[in-house]
Amino acid sequence: MTGKLYGLGLGPGDPELLTLKAHRILTQCPVVAYPAPDTGPSFARQIAAPYLTAAQLEVPIIVPMRVERFPAQDIYTKAAETLSHHLDAGSDVAVLCEGDPFFYGSFMYLFERLADRYPTEVVPGVSSMTAAAAGLGRPLAARNDVLTVLPGPLSDQELAARIEASGAVAIIKLGRHFARIRTLIESLGLTAQAGYAERVSLAEQKLTPLADVAEDTAPYFSMILIYKGEERWHPALAKTLGSGI
């Protein structure tokens, strides 16, 4: 009998946003793995920290945080091999994932390498996108709106085309692309319909209309939500943007 592999969605950062199922599995698994940068603490582990115990074996998966490319596939291959040893020994393994494992989550690369060899379960988590909409007090999408999720590194031409074709937009992975994307949104006449969310659900979160953001850069854990869909009550609530009601 081998152990079981779990991919646990932890939510956007607030430990209280773990689901009951994720909490149960997290506290029962003898082996807990999580992505970690080569410098600094693991955000995934920070979220789960209140629920970890000294009896659990922790397996950091070191992923260098660099602008330049690195052999990511090699990292996940080696991590899968390490986790397979624990699974072969009969130990269940919980792999922690910020947000949701299959929404731009790194767990999918371990799933690709291990799910055909071991019993595997993916536990969904609250995504930062839905948490940002809740924090900003604005609809993410409604009725027949087309919701489009756009990574910030896309070109201006592709971003503009997809924004114009959608009723609602979430732009993620802003980072060093923030100033360029804000200028693009201004050129499309959508600044008044855009909200900015940074480190959502954490103590240092920032929730504000995009027009009120003074900085030219943004952290990796930030996004812009644009709503131009069918819900006409939204403009009347613009003054409460970011109040969380």
Side-chain angles (χ1 to χ4, degrees), residues 178-215:
F178 174 70
R180 171 178 64 87
I181 292 171
R182 178 168 58 181
T183 298
L184 173 64
I185 292 171
E186 291 173 353
S187 72
L188 296 174
L190 294 172
T191 299
Q193 293 164 264
Y196 173 82
E198 175 182 309
R199 298 186 175 92
V200 66
S201 85
L202 298 174
E204 62 271 30
Q205 75 173 0
K206 182 176 182 180
L207 303 166
T208 183
L210 179 61
D212 292 348
V213 180
E215 296 82 2

Side-chain angles (χ1 to χ4, degrees), residues 133-134 136-142 145 168 225-227 231 233-234 237:
L136 286 165
R138 55 189 290 127
L140 188 59
D145 294 336
L225 298 183
I226 301 172
Y227 186 77
E231 292 299 322
W233 52 264
H234 175 257
L237 293 180

Side-chain angles (χ1 to χ4, degrees), residues 48-245:
Y51 313 118
L52 297 175
T53 70
Q56 292 172 302
L57 175 65
E58 298 186 25
V59 182
I61 301 171
I62 305 301
V63 181
M65 299 299 172
R66 302 284 187 273
V67 174
E68 62 272 18
R69 295 179 63 85
F70 61 92
Q73 296 304 318
D74 290 347
I75 290 173
Y76 293 118
T77 296
K78 291 177 182 177
E81 181 180 357
T82 298
L83 298 184
S84 70
H85 295 322
H86 297 290
L87 293 164
D88 288 337
S91 296
D92 292 343
V93 176
V95 179
L96 310 184
C97 189
E98 302 143 12
D100 180 89
F102 280 173
F103 185 69
Y104 295 94
S106 58
F107 175 74
M108 66 182 69
Y109 304 113
L110 296 173
F111 182 91
E112 174 189 8
R113 290 162 169 78
L114 296 171
D116 61 342
R117 297 159 49 197
Y118 303 98
T120 302
E121 183 175 354
V122 180
V123 180
V126 176
S127 74
S128 57
M129 187 172 61
T130 54
L136 286 165
R138 55 189 290 127
L140 188 59
R143 300 187 187 183
N144 295 322
D145 294 336
V146 175
L147 171 63
T148 302
V149 182
L150 300 172
L154 294 178
S155 69
D156 282 2
Q157 182 178 5
E158 185 166 4
L159 286 171
R162 293 183 181 273
I163 291 172
E164 291 176 339
S166 303
V169 178
I171 306 176
I172 62 175
K173 302 182 181 181
L174 296 176
R176 59 193 176 91
H177 304 282
F178 174 70
R180 171 178 64 87
I181 292 171
R182 178 168 58 181
T183 298
L184 173 64
I185 292 171
E186 291 173 353
S187 72
L188 296 174
L190 294 172
T191 299
Q193 293 164 264
Y196 173 82
E198 175 182 309
R199 298 186 175 92
V200 66
S201 85
L202 298 174
E204 62 271 30
Q205 75 173 0
K206 182 176 182 180
L207 303 166
T208 183
L210 179 61
D212 292 348
V213 180
E215 296 82 2
D216 289 329
T217 59
Y220 180 81
F221 292 111
S222 62
M223 71 177 62
I224 294 171
L225 298 183
I226 301 172
Y227 186 77
K228 50 176 181 169
E230 298 181 17
E231 292 299 322
R232 298 307 174 194
W233 52 264
H234 175 257
L237 293 180
K239 63 182 179 180
T240 67
L241 188 67
S243 68
I245 66 168

Side-chain angles (χ1 to χ4, degrees), residues 2-76:
T2 68
K4 186 172 182 178
L5 176 68
Y6 294 94
L8 298 187
L10 300 180
D14 182 350
E16 290 188 333
L17 289 179
L18 263 73
T19 64
L20 291 173
K21 185 169 187 176
H23 176 270
R24 173 178 59 81
I25 294 171
L26 172 62
T27 55
Q28 292 178 352
C29 276
V31 180
V32 178
Y34 46 81
D38 50 352
T39 57
S42 162
F43 183 44
R45 190 195 184 283
Q46 287 180 317
I47 298 172
Y51 313 118
L52 297 175
T53 70
Q56 292 172 302
L57 175 65
E58 298 186 25
V59 182
I61 301 171
I62 305 301
V63 181
M65 299 299 172
R66 302 284 187 273
V67 174
E68 62 272 18
R69 295 179 63 85
F70 61 92
Q73 296 304 318
D74 290 347
I75 290 173
Y76 293 118

